DNA sequence: CCTCAAGTTGAATATAGCCTCAACTTAGCT
DNA sequence: AGCTAAGTTGAGGCTATATTCAACTTGAGG
């Protein structure tokens, strides 16, 4: 790739990064190009679809989440680790409206939770009747609260999350009315998010 | 009003009712007119703005919610009443994607909860540190889950709600990290929902 | 310095939805 | 039946965004 092309790609990613963060994934592509100081044609040259651009912008997030998961797994208290992981992911959501959208749509986001859930359940702190698929409720819920409150009451999501976490403790458990979603149902539901 | 105008108004409301229910509040007005068998001009004659149409379609919902609240207040067990109210509202959300959108945007929806919350807190079952504003988290959360799952896992919202309710019991309460939203913050946040 | 593949440009095309209004139609009154 | 205010119509203008592509420009190898 020619060096001007590399440079433009960089500028586009930078612009997209900022605009996605401020306004979510649905920002107009023309605006991203304008902000980057290139033409819309160049944007299409570098990224054939919006999806490609989004993937490039959030390429490193999987690693970030993996790191948060790693730290969570080494926490002394499995429950604290569980809380730390969800808090960490939700902080990413709150800090970037683009990732907030992405987390709600992208199934891979919660996969690293499997071992964290397992450990927290084995410790007895996390209720035994929840599954990975139930974590989508946490993500969707906090995503909705972040979207609604980011301008008017930033930080409110922490309260939402805390209430949700209190419902996930073994000590809070009451019988659940319906079976958990299957993984494929959860995945399909995330795809449905727009 | 002339009787053909009344008739068209009726047909428009019927069409809007169905399309809102199936697809949410953002259905194109042209499609509503077409479904009603009238022109777009007639739609605008009867309803000057989308908001007017939405208000007309969901005019009776306030009364429905009030009735659910009334029943909730006469429940023997205040906690059961609280659960019944939230379940009732969420059932309305799940049954109608238009109302699902509206509930998340319209501040008035949860106002009838004040007395229900008060009673449930006085009984000791509902944790004392939550406020009316916290109920927006329940509505936003379930709204997000309904939107995501209505096609792929209908009924999943009941599980989300049950987990959320378990977090609202006194017995589940742990200290909350941030103060509740003020009523005006909550209202502003609901307005922000699109 | 020449060349040309690689890259950039932005006007043009396409699609979608909102909204208006001048021309036409009709209900309902006398 | 004739009148007219009320109502209907839908093409057309507007805005916003996506997407393409023929003409132009330029980096870099020889």
């Amino acid at each position: 790739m020619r060096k001007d092309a590399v440079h433009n790609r960089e500028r586009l990613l930078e612009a997209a990064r900022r605009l996605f963060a401020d306004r979510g994934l649905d920002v107009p592509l023309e605006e991203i190009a304008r902000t980057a100081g290139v033409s819309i044609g160049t944007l299409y040259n570098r990224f054939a679809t919006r999806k490609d651009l989004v993937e490039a912008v959030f390429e490193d997030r999987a690693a970030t989440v993996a790191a948060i998961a790693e730290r969570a797994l080494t926490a002394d208290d499995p429950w604290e680790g569980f809380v730390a992981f969800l808090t960490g992911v939700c902080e990413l959501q709150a800090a970037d409206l683009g990732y907030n959208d992405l987390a709600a749509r992208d199934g891979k986001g919660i996969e690293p939770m499997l071992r964290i859930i397992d450990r927290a359940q084995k410790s007895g702190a996390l209720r035994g009747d929840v599954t990975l698929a139930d974590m989508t409720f946490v993500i969707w819920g906090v995503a909705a609260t972040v979207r609604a409150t980011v301008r008017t009451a930033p930080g409110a999501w922490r309260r939402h999350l805390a209430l949700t976490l209190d419902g996930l403790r073994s000590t809070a458990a009451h019988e659940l009315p319906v079976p958990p979603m299957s993984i494929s149902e959860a995945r399909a539901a995330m795809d449905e998010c727009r």
Side-chain angles (χ1 to χ4, degrees), chain A residues 153-176:
Chain A
W157 66 268
R158 287 189 190 275
R159 198 169 159 95
H160 183 165
L161 177 60
L163 289 165
T164 302
L165 287 171
D166 280 351
L168 291 172
R169 298 176 132 100
S170 285
T171 51
H174 289 69
E175 205 182 341
L176 293 171

Side-chain angles (χ1 to χ4, degrees), chain A residues 114-130:
Chain A
L114 247 185
R115 278 151 63 210
I116 299 168
I117 291 171
D118 197 49
R119 194 168 85 112
Q121 282 177 328
K122 286 211 171 92
S123 82
L126 175 62
R127 55 194 294 172
D129 57 354
V130 297

Side-chain angles (χ1 to χ4, degrees), chain A residues 131-145:
Chain A
T131 76
L132 185 60
D134 293 315
M135 297 304 120
T136 59
F137 300 145
V138 183
I139 303 301
W140 287 332
V142 170
T145 292

Side-chain angles (χ1 to χ4, degrees), chain A residues 100-112:
Chain A
N100 193 51
D101 288 349
L102 191 61
R105 296 175 202 186
D106 174 22
K108 281 167 294 182
I110 49 166
E111 266 170 35

Side-chain angles (χ1 to χ4, degrees), chain A residues 3-149:
Chain A
K3 85 160 177 247
D4 57 340
V6 173
H7 179 242
N8 284 336
R9 196 187 128 95
E10 232 39 67
R11 305 245 296 153
L12 282 163
L13 285 173
E14 225 173 291
R17 199 136 37 216
R18 219 188 58 222
L19 288 168
F20 285 159
D22 290 351
R23 315 234 306 267
L25 291 184
D26 292 336
V27 140
L29 295 177
E30 312 250 14
E31 194 170 348
I32 294 175
R34 191 167 357 109
T35 305
V38 303
S39 80
I40 180 66
T42 295
L43 189 156
Y44 275 97
N45 269 356
R46 299 291 127 246
F47 306 98
T49 68
R50 180 185 294 267
K51 192 158 159 288
D52 289 340
L53 177 57
V54 168
E55 269 168 23
V57 165
F58 294 105
E59 206 182 13
D60 57 333
R61 283 305 163 100
T64 306
V65 172
I68 297 173
E70 220 45 64
R71 194 143 19 92
L73 278 170
T74 60
D76 289 337
D77 179 359
W79 171 257
E80 287 308 318
F82 176 79
V83 170
F85 178 80
L86 279 178
T87 304
V89 171
C90 292
E91 273 168 354
L92 295 179
Q93 291 180 227
D96 188 318
L97 288 182
Y99 185 71
N100 193 51
D101 288 349
L102 191 61
R105 296 175 202 186
D106 174 22
K108 281 167 294 182
I110 49 166
E111 266 170 35
M113 285 212 80
L114 247 185
R115 278 151 63 210
I116 299 168
I117 291 171
D118 197 49
R119 194 168 85 112
Q121 282 177 328
K122 286 211 171 92
S123 82
L126 175 62
R127 55 194 294 172
D129 57 354
V130 297
T131 76
L132 185 60
D134 293 315
M135 297 304 120
T136 59
F137 300 145
V138 183
I139 303 301
W140 287 332
V142 170
T145 292
V146 165
R147 229 169 308 172
T149 62

